[in-house]
Amino acid sequence: VMRTRMQPIRTVWSRLPRFVRDLAVVSGKKVELKMVGQETDLDKSVMEAIRGSLLHLVRNAVDHGLETPSERTAAGKPEIGHLHLTAAHEGGNVVIELTDDGRGLDHEAILYRAVERGIVTPEQARELGPRQIEALIFRPGFSTAREVTELSGRGVGLDVVRSNIEGMGGAIE
């Protein structure tokens, strides 16, 4: 019975190439998506539960993580940004990893917004380590976007992703 509920993750991932292409056009970026582990089996209910979260993470990677072609060239990188999505079974769990070759998390911008919104005091901000700073992006309503756009800035996001993942007994970092 369990086997009949299992499906390859490619059923969720099949929409991602077009989604990434559309995001790239809207954001003015060049993006290449590489997916590994598409045959990794997941329970059908888990796949339904992670679908929205996965789309949100991909949207954030393209919008916040990857630079525009001119920014990438100025930083000595190729014009095309890369997203890598992998899935694999590890120790009885399924690990899904999304990485990009973009600029990474801007700790200063995260701290600035956290202080500005009263999430942490300036004194607390000075004491936070890198992992603690990065954890702030999972706070409800948190966004470093300067303006609301079609892609981001609405403050609805990673806190919901985290609750969805943790609600299934998973973890996100």
Side-chain angles (χ1 to χ4, degrees), residues 28-29 41 43 58 62 67 75 81 90 106 112 115-116 128 131 135 140 151 156 158-159 167 171:
K29 298 176 182 178
D41 286 332
D43 185 271
V58 168
V62 172
E67 308 93 336
E90 288 183 18
D106 183 344
Y112 177 81
V115 169
E116 180 181 67
L128 295 177
R131 296 291 254 188
L151 297 181
V156 177
L158 291 178
D159 62 310

Side-chain angles (χ1 to χ4, degrees), residues 100-114:
D100 64 64
D101 67 346
R103 68 182 127 235
L105 293 175
D106 183 344
H107 289 188
E108 287 181 28
I110 293 169
L111 284 175
Y112 177 81
R113 285 290 203 204

Side-chain angles (χ1 to χ4, degrees), residues 74-151:
K77 296 179 180 180
E79 278 190 343
I80 299 173
H82 293 90
L83 288 180
H84 294 272
L85 188 59
T86 60
H89 289 278
E90 288 183 18
N93 296 310
V94 174
V95 176
I96 300 171
E97 196 171 305
L98 174 66
T99 59
D100 64 64
D101 67 346
R103 68 182 127 235
L105 293 175
D106 183 344
H107 289 188
E108 287 181 28
I110 293 169
L111 284 175
Y112 177 81
R113 285 290 203 204
V115 169
E116 180 181 67
R117 297 212 169 130
I119 296 170
V120 297
T121 65
E123 295 76 29
Q124 291 169 325
R126 285 191 286 277
E127 300 296 319
L128 295 177
R131 296 291 254 188
Q132 294 165 314
I133 294 168
E134 292 167 2
L136 292 171
I137 67 175
F138 293 104
R139 299 293 294 261
F142 192 85
S143 177
T144 58
R146 302 252 183 260
E147 58 189 45
V148 176
T149 67
E150 189 176 327
L151 297 181

Side-chain angles (χ1 to χ4, degrees), residues 2-62:
M2 290 282 289
R3 282 218 121 343
T4 61
R5 296 191 49 81
M6 302 298 275
Q7 295 181 348
I9 201 167
R10 77 170 172 268
T11 58
V12 172
W13 288 8
S14 63
R15 295 177 35 203
L16 290 177
R18 180 174 181 171
F19 184 66
V20 168
R21 274 193 308 273
D22 292 347
L23 289 173
V25 168
V26 169
S27 64
K29 298 176 182 178
K30 295 181 180 181
V31 184
E32 181 179 289
L33 173 66
K34 181 178 180 182
M35 299 183 290
V36 176
Q38 296 183 62
E39 297 305 316
T40 303
D41 286 332
L42 275 177
D43 185 271
K44 186 177 181 177
S45 63
V46 172
M47 277 202 282
E48 290 301 318
I50 67 166
R51 182 183 315 267
S53 295
L54 183 60
L55 291 175
H56 190 82
L57 291 171
V58 168
R59 184 181 304 112
N60 269 17
V62 172

